[in-house]
Amino acid sequence: MSFVFKPAVYKSSTLYELPRPVPVLRVRDAWDASRFKVPLADGDALVGHSRQGVDISLEGQIGSQSGSLKTSEGAMLEELEALRSTLDVSSASEKFEFFIYHDATSGTYRKFKLCSTVQFEMDLSNQNLFTYSLVVHAENPVLYTTAPGA
């Protein structure tokens, strides 16, 4: 099995690879539970554990996108505009799949479903290399191994 780190968004039957490099990608799981404490007794009890959705945060740079170099300010800004447009979710039907790994040749996939953008930030202060940060929330905490759209 060949793992290829290629963060991407699959939305409206289109796979959009995030601009690279992506030096930081973090997946944050969390659980809910009720905590019960008996007065004057040591310890407590957690009951009703349930998994929350997953938050994925990443930081990237606009060096290339799908293998195509972005070397000018204009090209980097165009790519940021395309990324912003892709990440926009204005209705439930526009939620997307977020891929961490995908390699269609070997059939290797790792993705989250029912994703929407929570936060997007871009830094245009370095004219040689624009950067961005992104927080995506996946309502479904399962890490799927299926192809886009499946």
Side-chain angles (χ1 to χ4, degrees):
M1 181 177 289
S2 172
F3 275 89
V4 179
F5 180 72
K6 285 187 181 179
V9 169
Y10 180 76
K11 179 179 173 185
S12 302
S13 301
T14 302
L15 185 71
Y16 174 85
E17 289 184 31
L18 295 179
R20 307 278 310 260
V22 176
V24 176
L25 190 146
R26 292 184 176 94
V27 177
R28 187 179 142 267
D29 276 307
W31 287 260
D32 283 326
S34 292
R35 182 183 305 239
F36 294 98
K37 168 80 174 98
V38 177
L40 300 176
D42 291 341
D44 59 18
L46 292 177
V47 295
H49 271 83
S50 62
R51 195 176 219 172
Q52 295 179 11
V54 173
D55 287 327
I56 305 152
S57 60
L58 65 88
E59 297 172 16
Q61 301 167 332
I62 310 293
S64 68
Q65 197 277 327
S66 290
S68 173
L69 291 177
K70 305 298 176 182
T71 56
S72 71
E73 285 182 87
M76 289 187 292
L77 188 56
E78 279 182 24
E79 199 54 51
L80 279 173
E81 290 173 349
L83 178 58
R84 286 182 71 210
S85 176
T86 300
L87 295 172
D88 185 32
V89 175
S90 57
S91 69
S93 65
E94 292 184 330
K95 290 183 180 170
F96 52 85
E97 296 176 357
F98 186 85
F99 282 81
I100 297 172
Y101 292 94
H102 74 275
D103 181 10
T105 304
S106 68
T108 303
Y109 305 99
R110 296 296 184 275
K111 71 178 179 182
F112 290 99
K113 293 182 179 183
L114 297 173
C115 297
S116 54
T117 307
V118 176
Q119 183 177 347
F120 179 71
E121 181 178 326
M122 51 187 169
D123 182 355
L124 310 177
S125 60
N126 180 350
Q127 67 184 8
N128 298 312
L129 187 62
F130 291 169
T131 61
Y132 65 95
S133 63
L134 168 66
V135 177
V136 170
H137 180 77
E139 294 175 17
N140 184 339
V142 174
L143 185 59
Y144 288 89
T145 61
T146 55

